[in-house]
Amino acid sequence: MPVSKITIVPHTDGALGYTLYTPEEEKFLSTKDELLVDLKSVLGGRAAEQVVFSVQTTGAHNDLQKATSLARNMVTQYGMSDALGLMAPASVTNKYLDEQAYMDCSQETAATVDREVRRLLQKAYEDAEELLKSNRALLDEIAEYLLAKETITGDELMAFINNK
């Protein structure tokens, strides 16, 4: 999904800044590769903390929840796990209300789900971290640009990158 807006201005909901993604078109299906890219993107903030400051902060709280939920859905509902194959060990109740999923499997399968979710998250994090390390100079330049402007659009970000 393309970036629509990036801001470092704190908000009343507790966010110290955020990146807003908006789909280019209404989409009902996502491929596994697209979801893996989404995982890397969501974990990019935590990876950037480590690359730039060698620390972990509470700032990635919401990102970690989103990434974990996405990875868990990939494994338990979308059949996107090599370890579980086409099995969907979670069932969704109240699809149109709260979309709560419950595990409908053995404890052994539930443990496999946890391992697979952890594996997907770790791989996405490592990929995001490597991408940031290999583009560290550009990361620093974008950070300086954002510090000067505080809020930029996705188009401004792409123009900045393309002019480098």
Side-chain angles (χ1 to χ4, degrees):
M1 256 187 285
V3 172
S4 175
K5 177 181 174 182
I6 303 170
T7 184
I8 58 171
V9 177
H11 291 268
T12 57
D13 65 358
L16 297 176
Y18 63 88
T19 301
L20 178 65
Y21 299 89
T22 52
E24 293 178 288
E25 60 193 39
E26 191 168 357
K27 195 171 172 189
F28 298 100
L29 299 173
S30 296
T31 67
K32 182 177 181 180
D33 287 342
E34 289 169 334
L35 296 178
L36 291 172
V37 168
D38 289 348
L39 275 179
K40 289 180 224 177
S41 179
V42 171
L43 293 172
R46 170 53 68 89
E49 288 179 339
Q50 193 62 42
V51 168
V52 176
F53 302 110
S54 298
V55 298
Q56 296 175 351
T57 72
T58 58
H61 172 259
N62 188 258
D63 296 337
L64 296 175
Q65 287 181 326
K66 285 180 186 177
T68 301
S69 177
L70 175 55
R72 188 164 296 280
N73 287 342
M74 290 173 70
V75 171
T76 64
Q77 295 180 44
Y78 308 152
M80 295 180 176
S81 163
D82 294 336
L84 295 175
L86 299 176
M87 182 179 188
S91 297
V92 176
T93 58
N94 300 323
K95 180 166 177 53
Y96 300 103
L97 296 176
D98 60 5
E99 291 194 40
Q100 286 285 35
Y102 68 93
M103 296 297 286
D104 188 17
C105 61
S106 69
Q107 289 182 347
E108 181 181 320
T109 301
T112 300
V113 166
D114 287 342
R115 283 190 298 276
E116 278 293 284
V117 168
R118 187 175 297 114
R119 184 189 64 77
L120 283 173
L121 293 170
Q122 188 62 38
K123 174 78 168 95
Y125 175 82
E126 289 169 1
D127 289 351
E129 191 176 43
E130 183 55 39
L131 184 63
L132 291 169
K133 284 178 181 177
S134 64
N135 292 281
R136 177 59 195 267
L138 180 58
L139 173 65
D140 291 341
E141 290 173 24
I142 292 170
E144 289 295 324
Y145 182 67
L146 190 54
L147 282 170
K149 297 201 58 144
E150 293 187 342
T151 299
I152 59 174
T153 66
D155 290 339
E156 288 176 287
L157 173 64
M158 292 314 298
F160 181 82
I161 291 171
N162 290 331
N163 288 329
K164 291 291 152 191

